[in-house]
Amino acid sequence: MTKAVDLGATLYIPVQHPRLPELLAGANPDLRSVVICLEDSLHEADVGAAQEVFTAILRMLDAVPPQLIVYTRPRSPEMLSWMQAQPGIARLAGFVLPKITTANLADWLARLEGTGHGIMPTIESAEAFDRAALIRLAGALGPLGAQVHAVRIGGNDILNLLGVRRSRERTAYDGPLGLAIATMASVFLPEGLALSAPVFEHYAQTDLLREEVARDIEHGLLTKTAIHPSQVAIIHAALRPLASEVEDARAILAREARAVFGQGGSMCEPTTHARWAAGVLDRAGVHGVAGDAPGFPQAPTRVA
């Protein structure tokens, strides 16, 4: 079963990008998940040629390293149906569904009935600010269970609705996108639906990217979209928990743990901290630990 934390930094790459074949062949050993995009990264005039490239890419997937999780993003429900008819489509982990709303979700889902593919619906319309609409979306997605690998936050599309762009000096949480992320976290996470943090487009601003990943984690978002290969290792390093966090998590989840106890100058309460603790150990198991911690090496150890 693929969990959101296993995805790490999910790199989006256009299907016609010249480096796509080498990335799928393992050129970036840090890469854990990739989305082959046939949506916004394509001009309409290029769709036919891009579909030919996509069918050729499907024939390459047998050689993809086992740790690399591969998705694709169609530009419409009709393209999704076309993709499903292509030889080799079963090799994909699933589909990123773009611009999902309460009005179109049913059409997308109807085309996926009976398939074994995972899905990652993307919220990037004005409904990102509409709590009632988000609750309806969560209600429709919740019964799908593990088929929903994550719900993706389309940050740039959301900001485009407001006519603004991401700051080069502040994290997403310090601008209008912060409200949308917090609202979605409060709706989807309690329903067991993981969220993927939005892309940080200013890939040269590495310190700010690290700060933003820390804010992602504070909001319960344990995977993040990447748009440049240089972001992948930075995001993965930022997702590593501290050794002290791992120590706290183990103590909280220990069978013999008291109802309330102190550790490292903080109160620990298993009834309220257990879910956080499980997330810390999940991150440690995938990404390693930022510091010495018995039982967890520094380097990543698994991708489920």
Side-chain angles (χ1 to χ4, degrees):
M1 180 181 72
T2 300
K3 299 168 63 176
V5 69
D6 298 322
L7 303 178
T10 301
L11 181 65
Y12 273 63
I13 185 165
V15 67
Q16 293 177 304
H17 195 287
R19 288 200 64 202
L20 177 57
E22 65 182 84
L23 285 170
L24 291 177
N28 185 339
D30 291 320
L31 191 60
R32 297 181 173 279
S33 58
V34 63
V35 175
I36 303 169
C37 183
L38 284 85
E39 199 225 0
D40 284 348
S41 63
L42 284 180
H43 290 295
E44 189 66 37
D46 296 330
V47 170
Q51 287 178 294
E52 292 183 13
V53 174
F54 179 75
T55 58
I57 291 294
L58 288 177
R59 294 193 291 270
M60 302 179 187
L61 295 185
D62 282 338
V64 169
Q67 72 272 17
L68 184 60
I69 308 169
V70 183
Y71 299 85
T72 190
R73 178 165 70 165
R75 65 196 294 116
S76 65
E78 293 74 24
M79 181 178 279
L80 171 62
S81 294
W82 172 83
M83 286 178 168
Q84 290 176 306
Q86 303 310 304
I89 198 67
R91 301 185 185 101
L92 288 175
F95 302 96
V96 173
L97 311 181
K99 298 178 174 58
I100 291 302
T101 67
T102 52
N104 66 24
L105 177 60
D107 187 17
W108 285 98
L109 295 183
R111 297 168 190 266
L112 289 157
E113 288 182 3
T115 72
H117 284 107
I119 61 170
M120 292 197 285
T122 307
I123 310 298
E124 46 195 339
S125 74
E127 290 187 344
F129 298 103
D130 184 342
R131 186 177 184 86
L134 295 174
I135 290 171
R136 292 195 296 274
L137 288 170
L141 293 170
L144 300 179
Q147 185 180 3
V148 183
H149 293 179
V151 176
R152 308 197 73 86
I153 300 174
N156 282 350
D157 282 86
I158 294 169
L159 290 177
N160 183 52
L161 296 170
L162 307 178
V164 297
R165 187 181 182 184
R166 288 285 301 269
S167 169
R168 294 175 181 267
E169 301 174 352
R170 292 176 294 278
T171 73
Y173 298 90
D174 301 312
L177 195 54
L179 172 62
I181 298 172
T183 302
M184 282 187 266
S186 71
V187 170
F188 289 103
L189 296 184
E191 298 300 321
L193 293 162
L195 285 172
S196 176
V199 67
F200 181 73
E201 66 200 70
H202 306 300
Y203 53 83
Q205 306 292 90
T206 55
D207 288 343
L208 193 58
L209 174 59
R210 292 185 185 94
E211 180 183 345
E212 183 161 299
V213 177
R215 300 287 296 275
D216 294 337
I217 294 168
E218 288 178 353
H219 284 73
L221 282 57
L222 306 183
T223 178
K224 189 173 185 67
T225 301
I227 47 81
H228 193 280
S230 65
Q231 294 181 319
V232 173
I234 295 169
I235 293 171
H236 289 172
L239 285 168
R240 291 178 183 171
L242 298 172
S244 58
E245 292 178 304
V246 172
E247 185 179 358
D248 287 352
R250 285 173 165 168
I252 288 165
L253 296 177
R255 185 175 300 176
E256 67 277 11
R258 299 188 302 276
V260 180
F261 61 94
Q263 178 154 311
S266 299
M267 182 194 80
C268 294
E269 188 177 30
T271 55
T272 59
H273 295 149
R275 187 170 174 184
W276 168 85
V280 167
L281 296 187
D282 278 346
R283 285 193 286 131
V286 173
H287 300 293
V289 179
D292 294 330
F296 284 108
Q298 293 288 338
T301 57
R302 70 171 177 88
V303 174

